[in-house]
Amino acid sequence: MKIHEIREIIKLIDQSSINEFKLETEGAKVTLKKSSGTETVVVTQPVVQAQAAAPVAAAPVAAAPAPVAAEAPKAAPSAPAVDDANLHKIVSPMVGTFYSAPEPGKPPYVQAGDKVNPNKVVCIVEAMKLFNEIEAEVHGEIVKVLVEDGQLVEYGQALFLVKPE
């Protein structure tokens, strides 16, 4: 298991409501536990012990995204201008990273004002190197995109507001 993979797992766990996470793969064991907003990371790899020390140092790095997450609610007060009571919310079916386009440099799948149908792909949520296409689920018009490209999203988090037709 590589250090960047462990750091990505730490970020995903930090942004989620999961309190404990265990992973065993190819002789490596990773255990993450949240307690009072901090993570305890224990990595056991029989081959190289130097790698085990680096992820522990990465735990404070995982706390760094918290200010970014704290900024997201600040954008929400402008959202009540849209009456979302009559709008359909397209939500994330998993914890992962939101991507608005099929690959970097390409146009986004949808933007505010675009018409969608139930089979229309609106974004990708990447979780553990698997890219999952998210479909609109409804006929309508995209009113608002609620997340930014590359942002971590949680299970059930609203991604788009759609005015149903």
Side-chain angles (χ1 to χ4, degrees), residues 9 28 34 50 55 57 63 71-72 78 85 91 100 102 119 125 136 145:
I9 292 170
K34 282 187 186 179
E71 291 174 13
S78 62
V91 298
S100 61
N119 297 325
V125 175
V145 180

Side-chain angles (χ1 to χ4, degrees), residues 14-32:
D14 186 48
Q15 297 295 320
S16 74
S17 60
I18 297 172
N19 290 326
E20 184 172 346
F21 176 80
K22 292 182 182 182
L23 174 69
E24 289 187 36
T25 179
E26 301 174 0
K29 294 182 183 180
V30 178
T31 302
L32 302 170

Side-chain angles (χ1 to χ4, degrees), residues 121-142:
V121 174
V122 294
C123 68
I124 294 175
V125 175
E126 182 254 330
M128 300 301 289
K129 305 294 181 198
L130 295 175
F131 294 86
N132 304 283
E133 293 182 336
I134 309 302
E135 296 177 347
E137 308 165 348
V138 67
H139 286 280
E141 178 182 338
I142 300 288

Side-chain angles (χ1 to χ4, degrees), residues 53-108:
V56 174
V61 174
V68 174
E71 291 174 13
K74 292 177 186 174
S78 62
V82 177
D83 179 25
D84 60 346
N86 297 325
L87 299 178
H88 174 78
K89 293 179 183 174
I90 299 175
V91 298
S92 177
M94 65 195 71
V95 173
T97 304
F98 172 87
Y99 294 107
S100 61
E103 56 187 72
K106 297 285 185 179

Side-chain angles (χ1 to χ4, degrees), residues 6-14 32 39 41 55 58-59 62:
I6 295 171
R7 287 183 180 157
E8 186 172 333
I9 292 170
I10 290 170
K11 288 178 186 175
L12 292 172
I13 299 300
D14 186 48
L32 302 170
E39 294 84 19
V41 181

